[in-house]
Amino acid sequence: MNQSPSDPAKQKAGLSGESKSASSSPGSPGPQIVGSEGDAIIGRAFRWSVLVIAILVIAATALIFLLDGKPRPAKTSLTALQTPEIREISTHDIPTARFTDITAAAGIQFIHNNGAYGDKLLPETMGGGVAFFDLDGDGDQDLLLVNSTHWPWKTPEGQKPTMLALYRNDGTGRFEDVTAGSGLDVSIYGMGLAVGDYDNDGRTDILITAVGGNRLFHNIGGGKFADVTVSAGVSGSPLDWSTSAAWIDYDNDGDLDLFVCNYVQWSREIDFQVDNRLVGVGRAYGRPWNFAGTFPYLYRNEGGGRFKDVSEESGVQIKNPVTGLPMAKSLGVAPVDVNGDHWIDLVVANDTVQNFVLSNRWNGTFKEVGTHAGIAFDSFGQTRGAMGIDAARFRNDDALGIAIGNFANEPNALYVSQRDSLVFADEAITEGVGPASLLLMKFGLFFFDYDLDGRLDVLTANGHIEEDINKVQASQQYRQPAQLFWNSGSSRGFRFVPVPAEKGGSDLFKPIVGRGSAFADIDGDGDLDVVLTQIAGPPLLLRNEQQLQHHWLRFKLVGTRANRDAIGAWIKVRAGNRTLSRQVMPTKGYLSQSELPVTIGLGKADAVDEVLITWPDGSTQKLGPVKLDATTRVQQGQ
């Protein structure tokens, strides 16, 4: 039968028939496709097979790409990176420099009285400040301890009001109580103090801050003081609760002005309205969240023993931008020239609200730049319970450090200036003063070189505000040890290393309810001794007994065009490849003042190459050869 090639159905049937075997008997040939028609069929089949395989490969590749989301990278070889070396500082590296408690042996019999009687009033938690200063101009560092007293509505029957305590140093570190008849034998609910020669007469005057108004005492010589509060115009309001204060020359006119921190708006009635309570304890001392903020005071020295309140016009009164109400809840202040323009600025430590950086505008006003500077908040943009504060060039370079002691379960802060002198970063963790301080409640804080190696160390005085805190927080204790950080100088590991008792002496780490703190060389041996105050107890006077044979320099500056105390001046010492910069500034830490002379440790260096004084007005003065291990008196311009 003939098949038409135009009939596809028949072609298919014919192809099928042709491809079958004609015989299935054994020995017969298998299926065969012969001739040109067979070659064409094979060619077509091959081309279709190739096409199908290609389609399958493309489909598989597309599927892999869709599932994986990206093409497979070419195989690479990895090169091992060299990790930077981090030197671990062990306790063996820390020098032995023990502090010994000489409180009783030195003749100190002071007991702090916070007036507590069970109502848990917030001022009872804050303690009192302390100052080392030269009372009588003999070069020895005398001691003034601030006391509070009984509340007027709850004075125990038969008990006398408690007073400030003034002690004269005999030059060897032994003290005589000279309070009686000094004019400082007054009873107020005292907090802090500031010492400075505000009238440039060569005698140190004293401001006492308090709950219910401040007091200014003019040093009239012979160990006597006159209360000049009213005539000077610096009492503040009887409704105020003032804390830390500082004598500064903010307008560079050669006399000392006065900055006073105020804490919160407080009264007994407000405290009971706030009514802070702890579960399982009942009424308890609380943090200041529910108390309204305040404004600080700035008083300009007008001469003749009078001051003008320039707080509002100077720009130091910072308002909450949302409510328009006073923002500050200030406990500490660090006066320091932050940006190197030779005008004193103010860094203010605030409790539970942002810290301030009051930048001096040279025209009698300040601008608050804390947020821009990176000091207002912590690294997460949160506020902390800031208390003690100090500023120093602790790296012995141009970087300025601002250290702040914070509330329990909040680490110390250590803001360090970056390339822009008005931009800071909190480097407390990387420098070593952060995590180790977390649990403690830090009040007093300052930089000082306790081992005279030329590097500034850090000491904090610690103690909780709530006696029963351990009942609700097992990790917390009311009485807490001080914490001393040794500056190792390392840039490849933690710079600051906590000093253990076997290196610093167990007396230093005695648990107390620590508050104010200060340092001075009380016995003339060149190293720095320490005093810590505590709530409702005696202070802790600690003699530095290091025997490391390190050299040191000590400077007492006297201003002529600048303020006589030279507060705000910088001393720069170059010794070999090190440059050590130290500021003349007694205002340090919390409610307290350290000695005015500046001690600079030199370690093993047995000579210095240069000493440069930059006075508060920006003028400079180079010194000739200076004697090691001795005090050098420097008068401006001579």
Side-chain angles (χ1 to χ4, degrees):
M1 181 177 68
N2 294 327
Q3 298 179 8
S4 169
S6 63
D7 189 340
K10 290 180 180 179
Q11 283 184 356
K12 185 176 180 180
L15 178 58
S16 299
E18 290 170 357
S19 66
K20 291 181 181 179
S21 174
S23 172
S24 60
S25 60
S28 64
Q32 295 183 28
I33 300 176
V34 293
S36 61
E37 185 179 359
D39 292 337
I41 292 171
I42 292 171
R44 285 196 300 271
F46 178 78
R47 286 193 297 273
W48 277 105
S49 297
V50 171
L51 180 61
V52 170
I53 292 171
I55 291 173
L56 290 174
V57 170
I58 293 171
T61 302
L63 181 62
I64 291 171
F65 180 85
L66 290 173
L67 292 175
D68 191 60
K70 57 185 178 180
R72 296 291 182 187
K75 185 176 180 180
T76 58
S77 59
L78 298 178
T79 303
L81 297 177
Q82 189 74 25
T83 57
E85 178 188 357
I86 298 178
R87 185 171 73 91
E88 292 292 332
I89 307 296
S90 74
T91 56
H92 296 292
D93 298 312
I94 301 173
T96 298
R98 293 187 175 90
F99 288 85
T100 299
D101 181 358
I102 61 167
T103 311
I108 306 299
Q109 298 179 331
F110 174 86
I111 301 292
H112 177 261
N113 172 27
N114 66 347
Y117 60 91
D119 272 355
K120 302 275 186 165
L121 303 177
L122 190 57
E124 297 165 1
T125 68
M126 307 311 283
V130 59
F132 282 118
F133 75 111
D134 188 356
L135 160 69
D136 46 15
D138 63 357
D140 303 325
Q141 298 303 306
D142 307 300
L143 185 64
L144 178 61
L145 292 150
V146 178
N147 211 346
S148 301
T149 191
H150 304 292
W151 294 110
W153 57 84
K154 198 70 174 182
T155 300
E157 186 176 351
Q159 290 194 21
K160 295 181 179 179
T162 50
M163 298 181 294
L164 310 176
L166 179 64
Y167 288 90
R168 178 183 286 121
N169 188 349
D170 69 359
T172 68
R174 289 190 57 83
F175 293 83
E176 176 190 2
D177 189 338
V178 294
T179 310
S182 67
L184 297 177
D185 45 351
V186 297
S187 180
I188 57 177
Y189 204 96
M191 285 280 129
L193 74 173
V195 296
D197 181 6
Y198 69 79
D199 56 353
N200 291 329
D201 66 354
R203 296 187 294 266
T204 303
D205 311 299
I206 299 170
L207 177 91
I208 305 293
T209 65
V211 175
N214 306 317
R215 305 282 282 273
L216 178 61
F217 297 93
H218 181 231
N219 190 333
I220 57 177
K224 308 293 183 181
F225 292 82
D227 187 336
V228 296
T229 310
V230 175
S231 61
V234 295
S235 65
S237 164
L239 301 178
D240 287 339
W241 175 359
S242 298
T243 54
S244 292
W247 293 104
I248 56 170
D249 184 5
Y250 81 95
D251 51 4
N252 278 349
D253 65 351
D255 55 29
L256 290 175
D257 312 296
L258 180 63
F259 181 82
V260 180
C261 294
N262 287 314
Y263 190 34
V264 296
Q265 295 182 30
W266 179 88
S267 69
R268 182 169 179 261
E269 292 71 27
I270 293 173
D271 209 317
F272 274 99
Q273 290 172 6
V274 170
D275 197 24
N276 185 71
R277 292 182 178 271
L278 288 177
V279 176
V281 173
R283 180 166 167 80
Y285 296 116
R287 294 179 71 178
W289 288 308
N290 295 322
F291 294 87
T294 59
F295 289 138
Y297 286 122
L298 180 62
Y299 297 100
R300 186 178 65 215
N301 192 334
E302 300 285 273
R306 295 196 58 82
F307 293 80
K308 180 180 179 181
D309 183 350
V310 294
S311 309
E312 183 175 1
E313 63 196 70
S314 67
V316 301
Q317 294 186 342
I318 309 304
K319 297 179 180 179
N320 185 305
V322 176
T323 65
L325 297 175
M327 182 185 290
K329 299 180 181 181
S330 306
L331 289 177
V333 58
V336 62
D337 178 8
V338 173
N339 55 1
D341 61 1
H342 307 302
W343 293 77
I344 203 79
D345 308 299
L346 299 163
V347 185
V348 180
N350 284 317
D351 190 0
T352 71
V353 298
Q354 67 190 65
N355 302 316
F356 299 153
V357 177
L358 300 172
S359 179
N360 196 322
R361 312 302 287 177
W362 310 356
N363 59 1
T365 68
F366 292 82
K367 181 179 181 181
E368 204 290 296
V369 296
T371 301
H372 168 80
I375 294 176
F377 305 99
D378 69 9
S379 299
F380 302 98
Q382 303 294 317
T383 60
R384 292 187 280 202
M387 291 173 280
I389 183 172
D390 196 13
R393 289 192 162 88
F394 66 92
R395 290 178 178 166
N396 291 336
D397 59 15
D398 291 334
L400 180 67
I402 308 289
I404 301 178
N406 292 312
F407 203 81
N409 300 313
E410 297 174 345
N412 289 324
L414 182 56
Y415 299 101
V416 182
S417 62
Q418 307 300 299
R419 291 186 178 181
D420 182 334
S421 61
L422 260 179
V423 175
F424 288 72
D426 189 351
E427 300 184 13
I429 293 177
T430 55
E431 291 287 16
V433 296
S437 67
L438 182 63
L439 289 180
L440 298 170
M441 184 175 291
K442 290 76 63 181
F443 279 85
L445 175 151
F446 53 68
F447 289 99
F448 77 136
D449 184 2
Y450 79 95
D451 59 344
L452 300 177
D453 65 354
R455 299 188 296 266
L456 290 171
D457 314 295
V458 176
L459 179 70
T460 65
N462 312 309
H464 213 281
I465 63 171
E466 178 54 60
E467 293 174 271
D468 297 319
I469 190 62
N470 186 249
K471 294 180 180 179
V472 293
Q473 292 185 40
S475 64
Q476 288 296 319
Q477 300 293 331
Y478 182 50
R479 301 180 186 279
Q480 298 178 359
Q483 193 166 39
L484 177 62
F485 291 93
W486 175 63
N487 186 340
S488 70
S490 173
S491 60
R492 297 178 296 164
F494 288 145
R495 182 182 304 273
F496 290 100
V497 186
V499 177
E502 62 268 21
K503 295 288 187 174
S506 59
D507 289 352
L508 174 61
F509 303 106
K510 175 185 176 181
I512 62 173
V513 193
R515 291 298 184 262
S517 61
F519 64 81
D521 179 9
I522 63 173
D523 49 10
D525 63 356
D527 55 33
L528 298 174
D529 311 292
V530 169
V531 64
L532 310 176
T533 70
Q534 67 169 324
I535 293 281
L540 202 59
L541 181 63
L542 298 152
R543 185 174 60 213
N544 187 335
E545 298 189 337
Q546 63 84 26
Q547 299 291 329
L548 299 170
Q549 309 304 315
H550 287 164
H551 292 296
W552 48 273
L553 301 172
R554 187 170 169 87
F555 297 95
K556 175 66 172 74
L557 304 191
V558 180
T560 53
R561 296 184 302 277
N563 69 87
R564 184 179 177 87
D565 285 339
I567 289 175
W570 283 88
I571 304 170
K572 183 179 288 187
V573 173
R574 185 167 58 84
N577 61 355
R578 295 199 300 175
T579 300
L580 316 178
S581 296
R582 306 289 185 260
Q583 185 186 25
V584 179
M585 181 54 64
T587 302
K588 293 177 178 292
Y590 173 73
L591 306 179
S592 299
Q593 307 270 289
S594 291
E595 66 174 357
L596 196 60
V598 175
T599 296
I600 302 178
L602 297 174
K604 298 299 183 182
D606 56 7
V608 296
D609 301 305
E610 182 181 74
V611 177
L612 179 68
I613 309 296
T614 301
W615 296 92
D617 59 7
S619 63
T620 60
Q621 185 172 343
K622 285 187 179 181
L623 304 187
V626 292
K627 186 178 180 180
L628 270 60
D629 306 330
T631 299
T632 299
R633 187 179 185 273
V634 183
Q635 185 165 322
Q636 186 177 14
Q638 293 184 359

